[in-house]
Amino acid sequence: MKHFTSVHDIGDLKIALEKAKQVKENPFADQHLGKNKTLMLIFFNSSLRTRLSTQKAGINLGMNVIVLDINQGAWKLETERGVIMDGDKPEHILEAIPVMGAYCDIIGVRSFAQFQNKSDDYNETILNQFIQYSGKPVFSMESATRHPLQSFADLITIEEYKKTARPKVVLTWAPHPKALPQAVPNSFAEWMNATDYEFVITHPEGYELEEEFVGNARVEYNQDKAFADADFIYAKNWSAYQDPNYGKVISMDKSWTVDTRKMALTNNAYFMHCLPVRRNMIVTDDVIESPQSIVIPEAANRVVSAQTVLKEILASL
Ligand code: AN0
Ligand code: CP
């Protein structure tokens, strides 16, 4: 594997899941692979899980790990070509990226959608510049349109907890006060569509995701109907994708919060969320603290997904 930016880079999912299982069972078996190799993690946005789990994955593989928060201590970066740089940004991303590439063997990048220009976001301008100009393998730690390390960890978690071969998995929108990217739901949908699970997406009207990500999923506007007999409830807020509301909060309807009444409609479903989660907006205290909540094992599997991906990239260096 050279770059890892979506489900399309992982190959056969069954084989990837088998590799993940081996990594989980024996996390220190591949330390020789990372010896004298440097992993660089670049953050344009905040993170708790991705930062720590990806560092841990690199350490488990014997790598040296360096982390940079672009917005805390680095130079402010200009990203547009052709700009006369007489403002507050002393460095251009077109120099910064190859310089970062010169200091490492593999680069992870977190760069969220900026909601200023939909085509810049959906063309993955920042991530693609890293791929084009760093000279090194690049992996996404959540880009404008996808969060594949999260989705891979979600899939690993569902495989561990499922009680039937073909579980019913429901992605539900839930309310949130701030505009959030579509990356997590897009990516989750893309990975679920690559499985043979029954997959349903539910959200209020106006929150339709891009068709490419929805794929063959059933879209159900009635959340209660969607929840019926579900085996997994995957909650997430996202802002509107469709024009003219791209990147906007168009509803904060609290009737979409995941609560015990709604969970009672399911087949005793497990509750999942990528975290961070706003309690009593997305999900009630009762549900997230219930025995059916698997948000912590889900987050723990972020080490496994990152390590499986890094191992593949290291093997191809
Ligand atoms: C981010 C998002 O919704 O994409 C990161 C989630 C992993 N969440 C927030 O910004 C709160
Ligand atoms: N789930 C996830 O990616 O969390 P962080 O934003 O804390 O990294």
Side-chain angles (χ1 to χ4, degrees), residues 272-290:
M272 299 179 73
H273 189 282
C274 63
L275 307 181
V277 71
R278 290 189 186 236
R279 284 178 174 222
N280 305 308
M281 287 294 302
I282 303 282
V283 57
T284 61
D285 293 313
D286 289 349
V287 170
I288 199 165
E289 291 171 3
S290 76

Side-chain angles (χ1 to χ4, degrees), residues 30-288:
D30 303 298
Q31 297 219 324
H32 58 285
L33 281 177
K35 189 166 189 294
N36 295 332
K37 295 281 189 276
T38 299
L39 173 63
M40 180 181 282
L41 307 180
I42 303 294
F43 288 91
F44 288 86
N45 309 94
S46 305
S47 169
L48 186 151
R49 278 143 292 274
T50 304
R51 173 190 305 263
L52 297 176
S53 63
T54 314
Q55 285 193 52
K56 173 84 170 116
I59 292 166
N60 286 355
L61 288 164
M63 301 185 82
N64 302 310
V65 188
I66 51 185
V67 183
L68 179 65
D69 288 298
I70 293 284
N71 299 322
Q72 283 171 25
W75 304 107
K76 262 195 180 168
L77 296 180
E78 176 57 61
T79 54
E80 295 291 320
R81 198 171 166 279
V83 167
I84 297 170
M85 288 172 57
D86 59 358
D88 65 340
K89 294 172 180 164
E91 177 148 31
H92 204 287
I93 198 164
L94 291 174
E95 282 77 53
I97 290 175
V99 168
M100 292 189 268
Y103 301 150
C104 66
D105 300 284
I106 302 177
I107 307 190
V109 182
R110 165 164 285 202
S111 174
F112 290 177
Q114 291 170 42
F115 297 144
Q116 278 157 18
N117 181 323
K118 186 174 179 174
S119 65
D120 275 356
D121 289 342
Y122 272 70
N123 288 330
E124 294 287 8
T125 309
I126 304 281
L127 185 67
N128 284 330
Q129 284 181 324
F130 273 88
I131 289 172
Q132 196 175 351
Y133 299 115
S134 70
K136 295 291 152 68
V138 172
F139 66 97
S140 164
M141 300 194 295
E142 185 171 339
S143 68
T145 65
R146 293 174 174 88
H147 194 359
L149 287 177
Q150 180 65 50
S151 312
F152 188 14
D154 297 333
L155 175 64
I156 293 166
T157 309
I158 292 172
E159 283 293 304
E160 286 174 347
Y161 281 84
K162 74 179 188 185
K163 293 182 184 129
T164 52
R166 221 178 137 253
K168 177 176 174 182
V169 178
V170 178
L171 165 62
T172 182
W173 180 94
H176 189 276
K178 301 248 158 57
L180 295 185
Q182 297 100 32
V184 170
N186 282 346
S187 191
F188 185 71
E190 195 168 52
W191 284 69
M192 290 300 106
N193 283 325
T195 69
D196 59 2
Y197 303 162
E198 181 183 350
F199 180 50
V200 178
I201 305 177
T202 185
H203 54 71
E205 288 195 30
Y207 278 101
E208 291 78 12
L209 295 166
E210 196 198 46
E211 279 174 26
E212 177 195 339
F213 295 106
V214 176
N216 295 325
R218 178 160 74 85
V219 177
E220 169 59 69
Y221 292 98
N222 181 319
Q223 194 188 31
D224 281 6
K225 276 194 193 155
F227 273 42
D229 297 322
D231 298 300
F232 292 87
I233 297 296
Y234 191 97
K236 184 71 184 83
N237 172 266
W238 62 90
S239 61
Y241 168 73
Q242 303 292 342
D243 293 323
N245 293 319
Y246 177 66
K248 295 204 168 69
V249 174
I250 56 171
S251 166
M252 290 227 302
D253 185 351
K254 294 284 286 296
S255 74
W256 282 75
T257 301
V258 179
D259 60 13
T260 48
R261 184 193 70 78
K262 282 175 212 157
M263 290 302 285
L265 301 171
T266 69
N267 181 27
N268 198 24
Y270 289 107
F271 175 81
M272 299 179 73
H273 189 282
C274 63
L275 307 181
V277 71
R278 290 189 186 236
R279 284 178 174 222
N280 305 308
M281 287 294 302
I282 303 282
V283 57
T284 61
D285 293 313
D286 289 349
V287 170
I288 199 165

